[in-house]
Structures are given as structure tokens and as C-alpha cells.
Amino acid sequence: MSAIALLVEKFDRALVAAFGDDLAGTDPLLAATNNPKFGDYQANLAMSLAKRLKQKPRDIATAIVEALDVSDICEPPEIAGPGFINLRLKTSYLESQLQAMLPGDRLGIAPVASPQKVVVDFSSPNIAKEMHVGHLRSTIIGDAIARVLEFQGHDVLRLNHVGDWGTQFGMLITYLREVYPDALTQADALDIGDLVAFYKKAKIRFDEDEQFKEKSRQAVVGLQNGDSEARKAWKLLCDQSRREFQKIYDRLDIKLSERGESFYNDALAGVVADLDELSLLQEDDGAQCVFLEGYTNKEGKPLPLIVQKSNGGYNYATTDLAALRYRTTQDGASRIIYVVDVGQSSHFEQVFQVAQRAGWLAEDTEALHVPFGLVQGEDGKKLKTRAGDTVRLRDLLDEAVDRAQQSITDRLAAEDRTEPAEFVDRVASVVGLSSVKYADLSQNRTSNYIFSYDKMLAMQGNTAPYLLYAYVRVAGIGRKGGIDFAALSEGTPPAIALEDAAELALAKHLLGLDEVIDTVARELLPNRLCQYLFELSQKFNQFYDRCSVLQAGEPQRTSRLLLCYLSAKTLRLGLSLLGIEVLDRM
Ligand code: ARG
């Protein structure tokens, strides 16, 4: 149990002892202090209880402290100012906690007591369109969230809700029938680049030519009615896109199960019929709608969510309703997380509202839209290529790796070092890809962020290379001293003794991993983990700059080696939860 959780329990007991059962469950308002002068934590409850208990905060604090038994983990508590209770963790407690982090790969963090079934809906690009930088954030953030929840022991279903249905296929099939019929019958006739180019041309025809438009509509109807030629063509187009998407997922080490929009086709009529049964459905201008609560147009009239168009077709919202129902009933999910750009916020609010009113979202089931902002160019506008096109994800990744390669080559030259080409390639690939991931994850996802290769690849600052380098430093210590860290901590590991202030600061930080992971799982903000790992790297570097390790005498040397080892293990685990690999050398 983390120190904070232990303290919360202890405060609860003290409150009950001092003031009776009425106060059981009162939040002790514990906060980590920023200034080591005040210890590690401060409890602020005495002030907030003054009114209720009709006593002076300082007297309340005194009564609490008298009843508080924290001697196993803290120095004697001190009361400061109007009634703050300051707590300082005992060094012996920190040492024993660190010791408990040594065995195994989980740094002593137990899986959660009651695992949930969680769906993470992320990435979800559209077939026949190129996967662009807009899908990058969803893919990277969704993967990190899934990894954190998996680490906690939840049963996570990673779903790729690809856009594999709809009018785009009618246009595309109609256009290809005219200009390149082979593409609709032969598996390898197209690659995604062509597909995207064809899609753009088809779209132009669709917008200009009435006859083409009509043919496209018929093609969609054919597809919906199961016309075998249209189906076959559709499947081929999906396969081609899928292969290209997979290349990106493989590169970024992303695991996903595809369950696209088309998966729910057969359930759509049922969704509408059930809404009707529940008396939620109303006809408006020929369309079937649910009128939303809390959404009005300019005249103050309620806005409809259309679930079936006047021509009988279903739309994006209908599919999401079907998907949500499937996820709660068939998958048994109790938490459903949608990692989708902030532009779709009202779509999700509306879908969730309708699902709730239809009884498809039980009380204990959580459906959450996890929104994120735009990726901007260095000019502050939506990221575009020089020619003004959307940036393709594969070009962006290639460029990150190329630039990483260049900076490694420069660094090697500056250090007068030579390394084999495979080494340079591997480092460039890890550094390039992890820089892109980390730059995205380290921002609070709700804001827009400016995409800058120079910033993300910098060796200094809150960047992937800075963190990777801290890990490399530990590995370097191991190599230099011929240390087998794993063997050192096997069985009954030697004692850790904390003396220097830098050791204490590092130790306390190391012990915070558990809590950070909990926070990320709750708030779904991976930037909290990034910040933690950045500070860990800083604290490790300060420790390493101040305290000699290999040169220290025993038993200090071994104790410090174990601190190095724990720092590296924490970095490796934390980065792996962000989908980032470490390197032993770079
Ligand atoms: N395909 C959609 C897009 O590119 C994202 C789908 C998100 N997931 C969902 N269940 N609606 O905008």
C-alpha cells in the first residue's frame, strides 16, 4: 500500500478516536509538500473541521496528532501555522519500501483487486482514406491508456472502429468501374496511395456529376443489399487499406482488433426498432430521430439526433449506438473509452445521452469520450505539408527517423566514436519513433500541440531522448563496473541505505510510481506519467552528479547500485506503458 493510502487509514482511526464515529471517512486533505522543510506530506483537515467541531484548528490538530499512530512510517508529526499537520517519512520506511520494489518486473505494484472489462476504442481510421496525422494522436494516446489499464490487470479490449462503410464506397466503386475495373476484382491491383488518389477523383466526380452521383447511390444500395460484385469490391478495398494501416501499427508496436462500422450493420434496424419500442423515436421531416435533452436550436427548439435518414439509411450515430450496446451486452464492458478528437465531443455526448435514456448504459457502466486537441505546425495552424496537403503518417514517421539518424551521426562524429551501421539504424528508429510518441503523450491531451521535430528530438528538456539517455547512463554504469544488476537484487538483496539528500529525493520519487499509474488510469491523462518519468530522470541525474557510485566504498556502493537499478527499472516500466522501448546504448 502506498504511503498516502496508509496515512489516510491512520488519520481515519485517529479522527474516530479523537472525535467519535461521526467523523469516520473524513478526507484528511493530504497533500505532498513542495518544500522539504515541511516534510513530505501536509494534512489540512484541522482547518476545515473547525466550524463543524466548534474548536480552534490548532486544538483540533493537537487532538488528532495525539491519537495518530504513524510511528511505523513517519517521524513524529509537527503542527505548523494555524493547524497544518506536517509529516516526514522515516528513512527506514523508505528503505524497506524500496527493497520491496526489487524483486520481479512490477516494482512491487500489485494488480488491482477488482479488474474491469474495459473497451478502448482508438485509432479508427477510415478505409480508402490515408491514415493521417489526425489519427496519430488517437493511436498513440489510446495505446498508452490501454497499456496502463492492462498493467493494472484489467481485461482490455482494444477496438479499431474503422470507417469501413458508407457513401465513400459507392463513389469509389462507381469510379473504379469506369477507370480501373481490375482494381475491383484483383487483390493486388492497387496500393493505398492509389486508392486515396482514386478516392479524391471519385469525390470530385460525385460533387460535379448528377449521373455519377446517382450511380454511386445505387452502388451503396447494392452493397447494403449484399450484391455480390459490390461486396467483393468492397472487401478488396478494405483489405488494401488494412494492409497499409497494419504497416503503421507494426512500426509503432500497436496491437488492435479491428471491428469496423460494418460489423454493426445487422444491428442497426434493431436499434431503431428498440428506440421506437421505448417511445423515444419521433419522425421529423421523414427522418427517424430522438429529440435530445439540453440541445436546442436558435429558436429554442430541441435538436434531434437522426438515427435513420428519410431515405432509410443509417448514420454514424446509429452505428455508435449499436456498438455501445454490443460492448455492454456482448462484451460485458463496464468501462468504454473513446479516444477521439475533441471535434466529436457533441457526437459522443448525444450518443451517450440516447443510450442512457434507452437503458443501454447501466448505472455502473461508464462511457467516456477521451478527447484530444489538434496537431499544429510550427506556424500554429493545423499541420500541413509545404504543398498544403494533410501530412501522411508514414512520411511523418520517416522524417522523424531520418532526423534522429542525422543527429546520432553528428553526435558520434563530435564524440569521435564509430559504430556499425546496424547500431545507428536501430538507435535512430527507436529514438525517432519514441520522440514522436513522447512529444504527443507528454502534452495534456486536451490541448492542441505544436509538432516540432527539433524540440522532440532534443537531448535536453522533457523529451524522449532525455529519458532514454537517463536509462543509458545506468546501463553504462553496469557495463563499466561489470555489474549484473539482476543478480545483485536476487534472493535476499543487500540493504539500501539512504544518506545524501539527493538519494532521499530520488528514493521518494521512485516510491510514487504506484500512485501515478493509478492517477493515469483514473484520469486517462498519460502526460502525468510522462511528467513523473521526466522528474525521475532529473532526480536520477542529480543523484548521479552528486553521489559517486562505482567509486564509493561498501556498503554504500551496493546500496547506490541498487538505487541506479531501481531507477532504470522504473524508467523501463514507465516508458513501456507509454509504448516506448529503451536502449542500453545510444
Ligand atoms: N472513423 C472516425 C474518424 O476518423 C473515428 C471513429 C471513432 N470511434 C467511434 N466509435 N466513433 O473520425
Side-chain angles (χ1 to χ4, degrees):
M1 204 188 282
S2 71
I4 269 233
L6 275 176
L7 287 171
V8 168
E9 279 187 2
K10 288 170 184 286
F11 266 92
D12 203 51
R13 252 174 273 148
L15 272 174
V16 170
F19 299 106
D21 284 339
D22 274 5
L23 284 161
T26 308
D27 185 347
L29 304 174
L30 276 169
T33 54
N34 299 324
N35 187 341
K37 223 170 67 193
F38 302 128
D40 299 307
Y41 299 103
Q42 193 161 59
N44 297 334
L45 76 170
M47 276 72 69
S48 68
L49 286 173
K51 239 201 194 136
R52 181 161 163 201
L53 295 173
K54 298 198 181 66
Q55 290 183 34
K56 286 203 201 93
R58 234 191 132 91
D59 296 342
I60 298 172
T62 310
I64 295 172
V65 166
E66 259 162 33
L68 187 67
D69 180 13
V70 289
S71 56
D72 51 342
I73 67 172
C74 291
E75 305 292 349
E78 282 167 16
I79 300 172
F84 301 110
I85 303 172
N86 291 343
L87 300 152
R88 186 183 303 278
L89 295 170
K90 273 188 175 162
T91 304
S92 57
Y93 168 74
L94 296 173
E95 290 163 350
S96 68
Q97 291 300 101
L98 287 178
Q99 211 83 37
M101 289 172 80
L102 282 169
D105 297 325
R106 298 184 56 94
L107 291 151
I109 302 176
V112 290
S114 23
Q116 284 184 303
K117 176 85 186 200
V118 187
V119 165
V120 186
D121 174 324
F122 71 105
S123 194
S124 310
N126 299 315
I127 300 281
K129 302 185 191 170
E130 191 101 40
M131 195 173 171
H132 57 76
V133 54
H135 295 109
L136 172 76
R137 296 208 80 183
S138 175
T139 306
I140 293 175
I141 297 168
D143 179 56
I145 288 174
R147 284 174 188 260
V148 168
L149 295 171
E150 282 155 358
F151 175 76
Q152 286 199 313
H154 295 293
D155 182 3
V156 178
L157 185 56
R158 300 158 157 258
L159 290 183
N160 200 1
H161 190 82
V162 295
D164 63 353
W165 201 250
T167 42
Q168 80 247 42
F169 290 98
M171 296 191 274
L172 203 56
I173 290 173
T174 308
Y175 187 72
L176 289 171
R177 268 185 193 142
E178 281 181 20
V179 303
Y180 190 19
D182 279 356
L184 300 172
T185 51
Q186 289 171 23
D188 283 314
L190 275 178
D191 88 9
I192 183 88
D194 304 326
L195 200 53
V196 172
F198 282 124
Y199 174 77
K200 283 186 188 151
K201 289 190 188 139
K203 177 86 172 73
I204 294 172
R205 285 290 304 279
F206 185 85
D207 291 336
E208 284 172 350
D209 179 343
E210 269 312 311
Q211 227 185 338
F212 184 89
K213 206 177 225 173
E214 187 43 40
K215 276 193 195 161
S216 301
R217 288 216 185 93
Q218 278 161 16
V220 176
V221 173
L223 189 58
Q224 281 167 346
N225 294 341
D227 168 75
S228 69
E229 196 219 333
R231 280 275 167 164
K232 193 172 169 211
W234 168 74
K235 211 181 150 301
L236 273 180
L237 297 175
C238 290
D239 284 342
Q240 271 144 7
S241 282
R242 202 171 279 135
R243 275 199 298 275
E244 289 306 311
F245 296 156
Q246 194 54 44
K247 286 185 199 158
I248 300 272
Y249 296 140
D250 287 345
R251 251 181 121 175
L252 293 174
D253 189 23
I254 308 278
K255 306 247 171 338
L256 265 165
S257 308
E258 184 178 317
R259 208 195 260 170
E261 293 179 8
S262 67
F263 179 86
Y264 305 99
N265 283 349
D266 294 342
L268 301 178
V271 164
V272 176
D274 290 350
L275 289 171
D276 195 17
E277 187 101 328
L278 291 159
S279 311
L280 288 170
L281 213 58
Q282 284 178 44
E283 200 177 304
D284 186 45
D285 227 356
Q288 300 299 320
C289 321
V290 178
F291 279 91
L292 295 158
E293 294 164 357
Y295 290 87
T296 47
N297 63 10
K298 281 198 209 106
E299 288 85 53
K301 291 210 182 106
L303 274 182
L305 178 72
I306 298 175
V307 292
Q308 190 170 21
K309 293 182 272 194
S310 52
N311 69 5
Y314 304 101
N315 54 29
Y316 188 51
T318 327
T319 306
D320 258 322
L321 283 169
L324 197 150
R325 181 151 79 155
Y326 191 94
R327 292 165 184 183
T328 53
T329 55
Q330 309 297 307
D331 296 321
S334 50
R335 198 177 189 203
I336 309 170
I337 294 168
Y338 297 81
V339 187
V340 187
D341 69 273
V342 66
Q344 297 194 27
S345 292
S346 54
H347 163 75
F348 285 107
E349 280 170 26
Q350 297 176 355
V351 165
F352 296 165
Q353 182 194 114
V354 172
Q356 213 136 30
R357 286 162 62 192
W360 299 337
L361 248 181
E363 197 80 49
D364 53 356
T365 310
E366 204 184 5
L368 279 172
H369 175 214
V370 168
F372 53 83
L374 283 181
V375 182
Q376 298 168 313
E378 304 211 38
D379 57 2
K381 299 205 186 104
K382 195 171 171 177
L383 189 66
K384 289 259 154 76
T385 61
R386 270 208 203 102
D389 296 324
T390 41
V391 178
R392 298 189 312 174
L393 206 42
R394 63 168 160 182
D395 295 338
L396 181 143
L397 297 177
D398 285 344
E399 178 152 4
V401 172
D402 286 348
R403 289 190 186 224
Q405 178 120 21
Q406 190 54 52
S407 81
I408 294 150
T409 314
D410 293 348
R411 188 160 46 80
L412 290 180
E415 290 172 9
D416 214 4
R417 241 170 91 192
T418 43
E419 296 284 355
E422 306 87 77
F423 173 87
V424 177
D425 288 348
R426 164 135 176 85
V427 175
S429 152
V430 172
V431 169
L433 299 177
S434 52
S435 295
V436 171
K437 286 189 180 186
Y438 191 82
D440 196 312
L441 293 167
S442 58
Q443 303 291 320
N444 184 313
R445 59 171 164 74
T446 54
S447 36
N448 298 342
Y449 83 97
I450 294 186
F451 191 93
S452 157
Y453 289 112
D454 288 338
K455 283 218 181 85
M456 68 179 69
L457 288 164
M459 292 293 286
Q460 291 301 328
N462 189 6
T463 64
Y466 180 74
L467 272 65
L468 291 174
Y469 191 68
Y471 185 87
V472 164
R473 267 184 122 173
V474 180
I477 297 169
R479 276 192 302 275
K480 196 163 162 211
I483 312 288
D484 180 348
F485 284 113
L488 196 63
S489 65
E490 259 163 32
T492 330
I496 296 180
L498 304 169
E499 283 158 25
D500 193 276
E503 288 178 299
L504 277 163
L506 175 61
K508 284 175 189 169
H509 197 78
L510 284 168
L511 293 175
L513 177 66
D514 198 350
E515 218 174 293
V516 165
I517 291 178
D518 269 350
T519 310
V520 175
R522 217 178 32 249
E523 299 177 347
L524 307 175
L525 288 172
N527 61 304
R528 300 251 195 266
L529 179 55
C530 297
Q531 186 62 30
Y532 169 85
L533 295 171
F534 175 50
E535 286 170 19
L536 172 61
S537 308
Q538 287 178 315
K539 296 203 151 95
F540 172 75
N541 286 333
Q542 278 152 14
F543 153 75
Y544 191 57
D545 291 343
R546 272 179 63 124
C547 304
S548 50
V549 176
L550 289 171
Q551 310 302 323
E554 289 297 359
Q556 200 170 48
R557 180 175 185 269
T558 302
S559 168
R560 289 185 172 168
L561 282 170
L562 290 175
L563 268 185
C564 291
Y565 182 49
L566 281 176
S567 303
K569 268 177 97 164
T570 304
L571 274 170
R572 187 173 57 204
L573 174 64
L575 287 169
S576 82
L577 298 181
L578 300 174
I580 293 176
E581 271 186 278
V582 291
L583 293 163
D584 284 332
R585 289 193 319 125
M586 66 190 262

